[in-house]
C-alpha cells in the first residue's frame, strides 16, 4: 500500500524552482533514501508532505489524504534544524510530543522509557535537555519522532551529528520501524547509510529527479571499473575492451584501466586474454558505489565520504 504518493510536485520560491515536477511513491514497510546535494529540494519536499508549506502545483497523498497537520498522530518527523526546549527533562519532552500526537500520557511515558533505554539514555531520562550534549539531545528528538509508532517516518539528515555507535543505533531503529510496516523516508549526504538501508532511493538534482530505483538499478547506471596488471600492451584488447596505460608496477609490469565495450562481460575479456596468451598478474573488478553514482548523476556538491 502506498503511504506517500507525490505526483508532479512543483514548489517555487520567487525565482527559485526548489522542486521541479517531482513524482515518487513510498510504500508500507519500505525504506526510501531521499538523496541530493545541498539545495536539491529535499527539505522543501518533506515540509510540503507535512503541510508546513504549500506546493505551487502538483499533488501529495499521504496516508490516503491530502497533507494535513491532523495526520501528525500517524507521522514521525525529525526536522533538519534540531532543537527542543531546554527546561524540560528528556522523558517529559517525549511525553509532551506523544500528547501532541493524541497519545495517552501513560503510554507515551512507557514507550518513551523504552526508546531512551534502546538509545542508551535511560539514566538521563530526568536530565534537562539543555544540559545534554548535542548528540544526546538529537536522540531524544528522534524518540519524539518514534513515540507514536508512526506509519510514516520522515527523517531529515538524521545521521548528522551522531557518533558511529549512535549512527548504528539509528540504523537499527530505521530497520525496526520498517519491519513493523512503517514507510521510512530519510535524507542523507552519507551514501554508506543509504547503501546499507535503502530498499529504493531517489536522487534529486536542483529539484528534478535524476534517478529512482533500487541500489542494484542505481549501480547499473555506471560501468564496472576494471584494473589489470599486465606485461604486454593491453591496447591489443581492441574489440572487447579499451585499455589505457596506468602506472608502471615494477619488473616490466604495468597497471591498465580497462573499459569494456558495450555488451562485453569481464569474464569474456579474461577469456580473450587467456586465448591470446596475455599474462595478467592482477585483475580487479569494482562495481560503482552509490558515492560514484551520486557524483555522476547529481554532481560533486554535498557529498561526504
Ligand atoms: N523558505 C524559503 N524561501 C526561499 N527559498 C527557499 C526556502 N526554502 C528553501 N528555499 C530554496 O529552495 C531550494 C531547496 O532547498 P532545500 O532546503 O529544500 O534543499 P535540501 O535538498 O534540503 O538541501 P540541504 O541538503 O542543504 O539540506 C534552495 O535553493 C533554497 O534556497
Ligand atoms: Mg535540507
Amino acid at each position: 500500500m502506498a503511504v506517500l504518493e507525490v505526483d508532479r510536485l512543483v514548489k517555487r520560491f520567487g525565482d527559485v524552482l526548489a522542486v521541479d515536477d517531482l513524482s515518487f511513491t513510498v510504500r508500507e514497510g519500505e525504506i526510501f533514501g531521499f538523496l541530493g546535494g545541498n539545495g536539491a529540494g529535499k527539505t522543501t519536499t518533506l515540509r510540503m508532505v507535512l503541510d508546513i508549506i504549500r506546493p505551487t502545483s502538483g499533488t501529495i497523498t499521504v496516508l490516503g489524504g491530502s497533507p494535513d497537520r491532523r495526520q501528525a498522530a500517524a507521522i514521525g518527523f525529525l526536522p533538519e534544524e534540531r532543537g527542543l526546549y531546554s527546561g524540560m527533562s528528556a522523558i517529559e519532552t517525549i511525553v509532551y510530543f506523544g500528547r501532541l500526537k493524541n497519545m495517552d500520557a501513560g503510554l507515551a511515558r512507557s514507550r518513551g522509557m523504552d526508546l531512551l533505554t534502546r538509545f542508551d539514555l535511560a539514566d538521563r531520562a530526568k536530565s534537562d535537555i539543555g544540559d545534554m550534549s548535542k548528540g544526546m539531545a538529537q536522540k531524544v528528538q528522534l524518540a519524539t519522532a518514534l513515540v507514536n509508532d508512526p506509519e510514516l517516518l520522515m527523517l531529515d539528515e538524521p545521521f548528522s551529528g551522531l557518533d558511529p555507535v549512535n549512527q548504528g543505533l539509528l540504523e537499527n531503529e530505521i530497520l525496526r520501524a520498517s519491519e513493523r510496516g512503517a514507510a521510512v523516508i530519510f535524507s542523507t549526504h552519507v551514501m554508506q547509510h543509504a547503501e546499507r538501508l535503502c530498499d529504493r532511493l531517489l536522487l534529486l538534482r536542483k529539484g528534478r529527479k535524476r534517478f529512482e530505483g533500487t541500489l542494484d538499478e542505481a549501480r547499473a547506471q555506471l560501468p564496472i571499473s576494471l584494473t589489470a596488471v599486465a606485461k604486454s600492451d593491453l591496447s591489443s584488447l581492441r574489440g572487447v575492451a579499451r585499455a589505457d596505460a596506468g602506472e608502471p608496477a615494477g619488473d616490466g609490469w604495468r597497471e591498465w584501466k580497462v573499459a569494456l565495450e558495450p555488451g562485453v562481460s569481464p569474464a569474456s575479456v579474461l577469456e580473450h586474454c587467456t586465448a591470446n596468451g596475455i599474462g595478467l598478474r592482477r585483475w580487479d573488478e569494482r562495481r560503482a558505489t552509490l558515492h560514484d553514482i551520486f557524483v555522476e548523476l547529481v554532481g560533486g556538491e554535498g557529498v561526504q565520504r
Side-chain angles (χ1 to χ4, degrees):
M1 193 191 80
V3 175
L4 173 61
E5 267 181 284
V6 170
D7 189 34
R8 310 213 65 174
L9 188 66
V10 175
K11 179 66 187 181
R12 277 183 188 283
F13 293 105
D15 289 344
V16 176
L17 190 53
V19 177
D20 184 6
D21 197 25
L22 179 64
S23 302
F24 64 89
T25 301
V26 189
R27 294 178 188 82
E28 217 175 69
E30 190 168 50
I31 304 179
F32 190 82
F34 197 43
L35 312 176
N38 293 127
K42 304 177 297 291
T43 299
T44 301
T45 303
L46 298 180
R47 286 185 179 148
M48 288 190 275
V49 174
L50 288 163
D51 198 30
I52 298 170
I53 55 174
R54 292 275 156 80
T56 304
S57 63
T59 54
I60 297 173
T61 310
V62 55
L63 299 163
S66 299
D68 185 322
R69 301 204 188 177
R70 282 170 297 188
Q71 283 159 333
I75 296 179
F77 178 52
L78 182 74
E80 177 175 66
E81 70 290 351
R82 319 278 195 241
L84 296 168
Y85 300 114
S86 47
M88 257 166 107
S89 73
I91 188 65
E92 289 312 326
T93 303
I94 299 170
V95 171
Y96 173 79
F97 275 85
R99 298 284 296 141
L100 287 181
K101 297 175 188 199
N102 300 330
M103 288 176 77
D104 167 80
L107 179 63
R109 186 170 300 274
S110 67
R111 290 239 185 99
M113 279 313 301
D114 289 347
L115 284 159
L116 290 176
T117 304
R118 293 214 291 276
F119 293 170
D120 199 23
L121 278 178
D123 58 336
R124 301 297 296 264
K126 294 197 169 125
S127 296
D128 189 314
I129 299 280
D131 297 337
M132 288 188 163
S133 80
K134 187 177 74 154
M136 288 174 183
Q138 183 165 328
K139 287 197 285 180
V140 175
Q141 192 157 4
L142 182 67
T144 68
L146 288 166
V147 65
N148 55 330
D149 273 354
E151 289 170 56
L152 173 62
L153 181 60
M154 299 202 293
L155 307 170
D156 201 353
E157 284 289 336
F159 293 99
S160 79
L162 294 181
D163 72 34
V165 171
N166 285 321
Q167 290 180 23
L169 283 177
L170 172 55
E171 286 194 1
N172 287 340
E173 268 332 293
I174 289 176
L175 291 167
R176 189 183 179 115
S178 123
E179 275 157 22
R180 64 164 180 75
V184 185
I185 172 166
F186 73 96
S187 72
T188 180
H189 296 129
V190 185
M191 295 301 116
Q192 283 93 333
H193 295 303
E195 252 165 351
R196 279 197 290 271
L197 291 170
C198 291
D199 298 308
R200 281 189 316 120
L201 54 100
L202 186 151
L203 287 178
L204 203 60
R205 180 191 160 85
K206 295 187 176 156
R208 282 197 86 95
K209 178 160 72 179
R210 294 287 281 117
F211 171 82
E212 183 187 2
T214 63
L215 193 56
D216 278 343
E217 287 162 350
R219 287 202 174 113
Q221 303 276 309
L222 288 185
I224 303 173
S225 131
L226 302 171
T227 311
V229 173
K231 243 179 189 157
S232 15
D233 183 346
L234 286 194
S235 6
S236 62
L237 289 175
R238 222 176 293 281
V240 287
R242 277 183 305 103
D244 292 327
E247 296 300 308
D251 291 335
W253 295 88
R254 178 177 290 281
E255 200 175 274
W256 293 80
K257 297 272 170 240
V258 181
L260 300 174
E261 294 295 346
V264 173
S265 70
S268 54
V269 177
L270 283 174
E271 279 166 26
H272 176 95
C273 290
T274 314
N276 292 278
I278 302 172
L280 297 179
R281 199 177 76 191
R282 212 181 86 211
W283 177 258
D284 285 337
E285 299 180 15
R286 194 177 75 88
R287 290 182 78 195
T289 64
L290 197 51
H291 181 94
D292 302 328
I293 295 147
F294 187 103
V295 172
E296 178 75 17
L297 297 183
V298 176
E301 337 98 82
V303 65
Q304 292 162 11
R305 272 247 173 238

